[in-house]
Amino acid sequence: SLYVSVNGGPGSGLYRLTDTDGDDQFDKVEKLKALQGGGEHGPHALRLSPDGESIYIIAGNHTNPPEKFDSSRIRTNWSEDLLLPRQWDARGHARGKLAPGGWIAKTDPDGKTWEMISIGYRNPYDMDFSPEGELFAYDADMEWDMGSSWYRPTRICHAVSGSEFGWRSGTGKWPTWNVDSLPAVVDIGPGSPVGVAFGTGTKFPAKYQRALYCCDWTFGTMYAVHLTPKGSSYVGEREEFLSRTPLPLTDTAVGPDGALYFTVGGRGAQSALFRATYVGDESTAPAAPVDDPLAELRDLRRKIEMLHSEGQSSKDNVEWLWPYLGHADRHIRYAARTALEFQDRELWQSLVLAESDPQTLITASVALSRQGDAKLRDRLAERLLSLKLADLGEQQQLEYLRTVALVFIRLGDPSPAVRQAFAASLEVHYPAKSPAMNRELVQMLVYLNSPKVIAKTLKMLQPGEQ
């Protein structure tokens, strides 16, 4: 079978083509799933899962999630989750487009069952699996945002189970430190992401066999991203692998001969097929596995991710998950919090309100704010008030402020007494030395109607002030 992603018009969707009589011609065309979306932000690439049992599809933010999908690795009460009103794009781009934004889903070979895997992208065109089975996607920037505080460059994202990367339209894009999202592996910079492929199977030196190749259409550059394990995820270092002007790259793939093939074209440009091969003295034998002391941490993350589904709620699961909510690794905490949200809230909400460890309380409070109800608002807010901002590290401070914001966004405005208490506790820390902290503090203090925030902010705008 040949699976085809059709972008735009009444035929938009996932198709399967088959040769029924063995004459090497596809004579049967089946539409497996209609997808509402089209254009340059419509349905995009397909990938076979590492086990060969599923097909993954990636789509831009002008594509609705598949209708009547059967399951999701992230709870489907996704929302904009903005503390203050956003400004839509001044030219109207993506105006009215809401969460989940761009997404990754998987389906079976017959296109019958669908599961949401990862959300919160702008316009990711392609993705690929590493030899270890980890999925990476190349997301787009919004070039008109360049120079603004909410600009996010094109970037490689580790699309773990249940991941949310925080794209929101206009000024609403989440910063990378938001506790309810995950950071990029590496920022690439301005451009237009298109094809992506790992170098697995190339007859290149080992370093380049392990690299992730990503194509930028705008600047005619293919990057090799070299990944290094960090915690249960990775960080990346980008290297310019090849470029030319013009070279409007569109896609890339490893050929059976060990060469790296790539195509160019698009928007009326002349199309062409190229082949990149290695010439040199280094060995091109298949790269051997490298010693990875962090493999066990990734195994733990994947074990936690097995609970990212309905129907697995139990007291034992809650007890097993709880210590990981305070884990030092951000991806482990995220995986554990996502899994906790799939457990019956009656099994764990009292644990949140009784928790004393700051990191565990912060992470668990995110889950409770997302899955709780308004009756819990003031109790949860008062619990968070017990934490002292000065006692937390900067990343914890940022997570704390986002958590407090989520309580008010999801569960409702605080009582006047709680509002005043939070304002008083935060005013003494504003302005901070960190631009990220100042960004979060000023929004929170504006929301809380702090009587001091305007004067302090205006002073910061004076020449010589930070």
Side-chain angles (χ1 to χ4, degrees):
S1 296
L2 174 66
Y3 290 86
V4 179
S5 174
V6 174
N7 181 321
S12 184
L14 176 65
Y15 290 76
R16 177 171 60 189
L17 284 62
T18 50
D19 172 15
T20 62
D21 55 13
D23 67 349
D24 199 29
Q25 298 294 312
F26 292 114
D27 50 60
K28 183 179 180 181
V29 178
E30 303 171 83
K31 188 175 187 178
L32 302 182
K33 187 75 169 180
L35 293 172
Q36 297 180 2
E40 294 185 353
H41 293 236
H44 292 314
L46 307 174
R47 284 287 176 186
L48 188 66
S49 63
D51 63 8
E53 299 296 325
S54 304
I55 296 166
Y56 282 67
I57 183 168
I58 194 167
N61 59 355
H62 289 194
T63 310
N64 293 339
E67 288 188 353
K68 299 178 181 178
F69 54 84
D70 301 272
S71 59
S72 175
R73 301 279 183 88
I74 186 170
R75 291 295 299 270
T76 57
N77 62 335
W78 45 60
S79 186
E80 297 298 279
D81 288 331
L82 304 176
L83 185 65
L84 300 177
R86 125 264 311 284
Q87 292 177 316
W88 295 102
D89 181 81
R91 295 176 63 182
H93 182 80
R95 180 181 289 270
K97 294 294 182 182
L98 303 176
W103 48 266
I104 298 173
K106 78 170 185 177
T107 186
D108 63 276
D110 295 322
K112 299 296 185 184
T113 59
W114 286 75
E115 182 177 38
M116 296 293 289
I117 302 295
S118 180
I119 63 172
Y121 301 90
R122 180 176 183 261
N123 189 29
Y125 181 86
D126 203 358
M127 59 191 158
D128 199 13
F129 288 94
S130 72
E132 296 77 25
E134 301 283 353
L135 182 60
F136 295 84
Y138 186 14
D139 197 15
D141 64 345
M142 172 47 165
E143 59 272 27
W144 302 344
D145 290 343
M146 288 185 67
S148 68
S149 62
W150 55 90
Y151 173 71
R152 306 196 318 179
T154 70
R155 55 194 192 151
I156 301 297
C157 298
H158 186 191
V160 297
S161 170
S163 48
E164 155 74 88
F165 291 99
W167 176 85
R168 298 297 185 267
S169 187
T171 65
K173 297 169 187 67
W174 297 2
T176 57
W177 55 76
N178 271 16
V179 64
D180 47 334
S181 69
L182 289 172
V185 171
V186 61
D187 288 338
I188 301 296
S192 294
V194 279
V196 169
F198 270 94
T200 309
T202 55
K203 291 182 179 178
F204 290 174
K207 175 181 178 180
Y208 292 95
Q209 292 180 43
R210 299 188 183 102
L212 175 65
Y213 296 90
C214 48
C215 300
D216 170 27
W217 183 89
T218 297
F219 295 106
T221 302
M222 182 187 295
Y223 297 98
V225 175
H226 305 287
L227 300 171
T228 301
K230 180 182 180 183
S232 64
S233 183
Y234 300 83
V235 292
E237 179 182 356
R238 69 180 178 92
E239 173 191 355
E240 186 177 301
F241 183 71
L242 59 85
S243 65
R244 191 185 74 177
T245 302
L247 193 70
L249 292 155
T250 53
D251 207 356
T252 185
V254 177
D257 58 353
L260 186 66
Y261 289 82
F262 61 93
T263 51
V264 300
R267 291 187 178 176
Q270 175 64 50
S271 59
L273 173 66
F274 291 81
R275 177 176 60 204
T277 57
Y278 172 68
V279 177
D281 298 327
E282 291 188 52
S283 171
T284 59
V290 296
D291 183 35
D292 183 1
L294 298 176
E296 290 185 1
L297 203 54
R298 290 197 301 280
D299 289 342
L300 171 60
R301 191 200 76 235
R302 288 192 285 260
K303 185 177 180 181
I304 295 171
E305 291 169 351
M306 293 175 67
L307 295 177
H308 290 180
S309 64
E310 303 281 359
Q312 300 189 74
S313 182
S314 72
K315 183 179 179 181
D316 288 344
N317 283 341
V318 171
E319 291 178 351
W320 180 72
L321 287 168
W322 202 260
Y324 299 122
L325 298 171
H327 198 279
D329 181 68
R330 179 172 175 179
H331 282 73
I332 295 291
R333 297 196 303 271
Y334 184 97
R337 189 264 301 168
T338 302
L340 185 67
E341 292 187 25
F342 282 101
Q343 306 298 306
D344 183 350
R345 178 164 54 88
E346 295 300 320
L347 296 174
W348 53 271
Q349 76 175 24
S350 61
L351 298 177
V352 182
L353 299 172
E355 182 57 55
S356 59
D357 174 67
Q359 185 64 72
T360 304
L361 176 58
I362 290 169
T363 309
S365 295
V366 173
L368 192 54
S369 66
R370 286 170 48 85
Q371 306 305 328
D373 57 53
K375 292 183 293 185
L376 297 167
R377 180 194 60 219
D378 286 351
R379 292 175 64 195
L380 184 55
E382 288 168 3
R383 217 35 225 99
L384 290 167
L385 266 171
S386 69
L387 297 181
K388 304 301 182 186
L389 202 64
D391 295 337
L392 307 176
E394 183 175 328
Q395 179 59 36
Q396 281 187 323
Q397 291 177 337
L398 292 168
E399 292 189 5
Y400 172 80
L401 291 170
R402 175 59 174 173
T403 303
V404 174
L406 284 171
V407 172
F408 301 148
I409 292 167
R410 290 279 183 149
L411 304 182
D413 293 335
S415 66
V418 170
R419 183 184 292 270
Q420 292 171 11
F422 269 109
S425 72
L426 297 177
E427 284 169 343
V428 297
H429 299 285
Y430 181 69
K433 295 180 180 179
S434 159
M437 281 295 295
N438 282 331
R439 174 174 169 167
E440 296 304 310
L441 282 166
V442 71
Q443 290 187 79
M444 179 60 70
L445 290 171
V446 167
Y447 171 81
L448 295 170
N449 297 324
S450 163
K452 300 179 180 181
V453 64
I454 293 177
K456 287 188 172 187
T457 304
L458 289 174
K459 184 178 179 182
M460 290 173 65
L461 298 176
Q462 298 301 313
E465 296 288 340
Q466 297 296 321

